[in-house]
Each structure stands twice: as C-alpha cells, then as structure tokens.
Amino acid sequence: MEFFNDVGGDPLKPTLFELVAQEQLRDLLQPALKYVLSVFAQRYPRYLLRIVNRHEEFYSVLMFFVERHYLRKYGASFSENFYGLKRRRSPLFEAERARAAVPGILEEEKLREREIRRSLIFLIGLPYLRTKAQEYYEDLGGGIQSEDIEESLATRQARALSEQTLTGRLRRMYKTIYPFLNTTFEVWLLVCNIAYLFDQTPFYRPWLSWIGVDLRRVSIHDLRAAQQLPKPKLDATQAQSIFTRLRRLLTASPRLLVDSFNVILPTAIFFVKFLEWWYSPSSPARALSTSPLGPAIAPPKLAHPHPQGIQVDPKAYGICPLCHGAFANATALPSGYVCCYRCAYEYVEKHGKCPVTLLPARVWQLRKILV
C-alpha cells in the first residue's frame, strides 16, 4: 500500500500508515499514564487520589508543556518525533529547483509561534474536549451502560420531571445529537485519510490546512542540523565549582526530563500492554499458575449415605442409583451424588430430599454436569 505515496516521487512524504501509527501512540499515552497513577494512588492516596480524579486536566497540562517543547525544538509533536516525522510550514508551491540549489533546511519551513499555538489547540484542546463530551454523554445515560441499569420508579419519575425543564430538554437534545455528531466527525476524518492515501490532498487531517503546516519525514539535513546544535561548555573556573555545575544541572533537568519522554513513555506503554496481556484469561500466566495434576483445592467429600436411603455401589461408575441405567443428562444433587436429570427431578420434587443421604434438597439446587 506504500505504493500510493511513492507515485509522485516524493521520498519525504509519509505514508498514511505512519501517520496512523503515530496517532495510535498518542492515544495510548493517556490510558497508560492513568493506569500507572491509579496503581500508585492505591498506596499514596493522599497525594495522588486528586490527580487521578482529575486525570484529564492533569494529562492536558502535562502534555501541553511536552508538546510545546517538542514543537519548538524539533518542529514536531512527541509522537511525530518518535516516528521520525516533522511539521513543515506549507509552501505556496513546491520549488524543487530552489531546494536543489540551496541544500539544507529552508528558513521559511520552520515553525513560527503562530503555527505552534495552533498546533497545540488541536494536539491538546481537541482531544480534551472530545473526552469531556464523551464523559458527559455517558453521565446522561448514553451508551451501552444505560441499557444494563435498571432504574427504580422514583428515579424514572425524577428524571421525567427534570426533563420538563429547559435544562432537561437541552440535556435530552445533547444526548440525541451527540452520537450523530461524533459519527459525522469520524466519517470526516476517514474521508480525509482516503483522500490523502490517493494523493488528493497533502493534509491527512483537515485542520492542518488552517494551521498552515504539513507532515514530512525527517531528512538527512534535519539530522545534521540536530548534531550541529551548540552544546554548553564549561571553562576551568566553572568546572571546579560544584555549585555552578549543580545549578546548571538543575536548570537543564526539566529539558532533559522532557527529552527522555521519547524513551520513557513508549517503554511504559509497552509494559502496561504486556501486563494487560499477561493477566488476561488467555495468557500463559494462567497455564503456569494451574497445576497439571488437577486443582490445588481438593473437591469436597461426598455426604455419607443414610442406612434407609438408596444404596449406591461405589464401583459402578456412570450408573444412576434410581433407574440403574446409564446417565441420561447427568445431574448432581446438593449432597454430591449424581443421577439422571429426570430421575433426580421427579424424586426431589416428590420427596424433597436426596435419595441416597435423605438430606433436604430442592429442585432449584440441582446442577447439570457438562462434560
């Protein structure tokens, strides 16, 4: 499928699958961070419980500083930089001759503050608004969860009274319109992806045109420019001063921490997904924790037969003690003995007790055995 992006002969144009991959990485950051915070909040609830309860706001503020740092330094968002992509100011027309005559990065292609601010709106603001809209829709009873909750009569009456007010009508209107708006938005993005795949538009997202940027692969000139960035040097006097070196380290530590996210966050996502797979019902952890010799806890012992009850031959396996024939739809009694379902049902319904132990039994206590 990469053929569609190589028809024009532009090696720096990313494929649709690269763009979708970087968006999936960005979508995985928030649940991974929320999972880690939830685990630590169980041990330190005094410090982290409020952050977990306001996770969307905390994540938006955190990613605002991260994305702004990457946009200013690398000209790309965090996930785009991870996949070797960058944002370029959209030229009015491609000047291949000028590019060939002036090798390197053109000054007109670098992001300005206006492009950075607009990019932050759609990198931070749009996902936050969509998350809040979805949460409000679910709070109003939308989605699958509302079908599984049985409301009492008082709750229904209170909801009916609230819907008669103006606020209630607006909520009901929002609950009705939101699924159509969300579906329309997703279809719009799908159409843009298809148009980008077939080289009908240079923007795989419609708002990139308003921002004034398009996405490109990182070229060899970008790598050389990154290697030629000036590095701070310490003279002999500064090198001998411990306090000066400590102050420089504390000053540079936020930037070093943000740059390290390029390795820390994808690694955290990998471990979170690994733990989800490891503790899933179909994971090898289930097979390793289960003994091949049988269950760890021994099954309960059978109740002792009553002298006046029906005698059971312990060596006659698979034989019903009532009809003395092979089991037909084997069913277990509360005492642990097995009979045919019809035999057990008729006997318990008539006598109300187990035919072997004479212990009390009810029809609803019968359990069919599935082999």
Side-chain angles (χ1 to χ4, degrees):
M1 297 297 291
E2 193 172 353
F3 167 77
F4 289 102
N5 289 103
D6 293 337
V7 173
D10 190 355
L12 297 181
K13 181 180 179 181
T15 63
L16 177 63
F17 307 102
E18 292 176 283
L19 301 174
V20 172
Q22 64 89 17
E23 283 209 343
Q24 290 179 348
L25 173 62
R26 186 176 60 196
D27 295 338
L28 288 174
L29 292 177
Q30 183 173 359
L33 181 60
K34 187 175 183 180
Y35 177 81
V36 173
L37 289 176
S38 301
V39 172
F40 283 99
Q42 297 177 3
R43 188 167 184 176
Y44 306 101
R46 181 180 178 182
Y47 306 100
L48 298 178
L49 189 58
R50 294 182 179 179
I51 296 179
V52 174
N53 294 335
R54 308 289 296 181
H55 173 72
E56 286 75 16
E57 288 75 13
F58 170 76
Y59 177 79
S60 299
V61 173
L62 175 63
M63 293 306 297
F64 172 80
F65 293 102
V66 173
E67 298 289 13
R68 187 180 65 172
H69 170 76
Y70 274 85
L71 286 171
R72 288 179 174 178
K73 185 175 181 180
Y74 302 103
S77 65
F78 167 76
S79 57
E80 293 166 358
N81 177 260
F82 181 81
Y83 277 92
L85 305 177
K86 69 171 185 177
R87 297 193 171 206
R88 179 192 66 169
R89 289 179 57 193
S90 302
L92 297 177
F93 54 90
E94 293 288 347
E96 297 295 339
R97 294 184 178 179
R99 187 177 302 277
V102 184
I105 304 175
L106 299 179
E107 192 66 26
E108 293 77 9
E109 295 182 356
K110 296 182 179 180
L111 299 183
R112 298 175 299 182
E113 285 296 325
R114 184 179 66 177
E115 285 81 15
I116 293 177
R117 288 195 299 267
R118 291 183 178 182
S119 298
L120 289 174
I121 293 175
F122 290 95
L123 289 173
I124 308 298
L126 182 60
Y128 175 77
L129 293 178
R130 293 194 64 187
T131 301
K132 285 299 181 181
Q134 179 65 27
E135 289 184 355
Y136 186 65
Y137 174 70
E138 294 177 356
D139 292 340
L140 295 178
I144 303 177
Q145 298 178 355
S146 62
E147 301 176 358
D148 301 333
I149 300 176
E150 295 183 359
E151 297 180 348
S152 61
L153 180 60
T155 305
R156 294 179 181 177
Q157 292 177 353
R159 176 168 294 184
L161 292 176
S162 64
E163 288 182 353
Q164 295 178 1
T165 62
L166 178 61
T167 305
R169 293 177 181 177
L170 293 177
R171 291 177 179 175
R172 186 174 56 184
M173 183 183 302
Y174 176 83
K175 183 179 176 181
T176 305
I177 295 177
Y178 174 77
F180 297 98
L181 294 178
N182 189 44
T183 303
T184 304
F185 184 79
E186 295 293 340
V187 172
W188 185 33
L189 297 183
L190 178 62
V191 171
C192 292
N193 287 343
I194 296 176
Y196 180 85
L197 180 65
F198 289 94
D199 206 15
Q200 299 299 316
T201 176
F203 310 105
Y204 89 105
R205 285 291 179 260
W207 49 79
L208 293 178
S209 176
W210 178 76
I211 297 176
V213 298
D214 57 358
L215 293 181
R216 308 285 290 175
R217 290 194 182 108
V218 174
S219 63
I220 187 63
H221 304 293
D222 298 296
L223 299 178
R224 291 176 179 174
Q227 294 176 357
Q228 294 176 359
L229 290 177
K231 298 181 180 180
K233 297 182 180 180
L234 296 177
D235 54 19
T237 305
Q238 292 178 339
Q240 294 175 359
S241 175
I242 300 178
F243 296 99
T244 304
R245 296 176 62 184
L246 181 61
R247 180 177 58 84
R248 288 181 175 271
L249 179 61
L250 293 176
T251 305
S253 58
R255 296 182 178 180
L256 294 176
L257 179 61
V258 174
D259 288 335
S260 63
F261 283 174
N262 206 356
V263 179
I264 295 176
L265 291 182
T267 306
I269 293 174
F270 169 77
F271 279 107
V272 168
K273 290 300 178 180
F274 175 78
L275 291 176
E276 290 180 357
W277 167 77
W278 184 257
Y279 290 105
S280 62
S282 59
S283 68
R286 301 288 182 176
L288 294 176
S289 60
T290 304
S291 175
L293 302 178
I297 301 177
K301 296 182 179 180
L302 293 175
H304 294 287
H306 196 276
Q308 298 179 1
I310 298 176
Q311 300 298 321
V312 177
D313 186 2
K315 297 182 180 180
Y317 296 101
I319 302 299
C320 176
L322 292 175
C323 66
H324 303 286
F327 287 137
N329 199 357
T331 301
L333 294 152
S335 59
Y337 291 92
V338 181
C339 302
C340 299
Y341 177 78
R342 184 174 182 179
C343 300
Y345 184 89
E346 292 178 353
Y347 189 92
V348 171
E349 186 181 24
K350 182 178 180 181
H351 301 283
K353 56 185 177 181
C354 174
V356 180
T357 62
L358 302 184
L359 294 174
R362 298 293 182 267
V363 174
W364 58 269
Q365 294 178 323
L366 301 178
R367 296 292 182 267
K368 294 183 179 181
I369 301 177
L370 303 178
V371 182

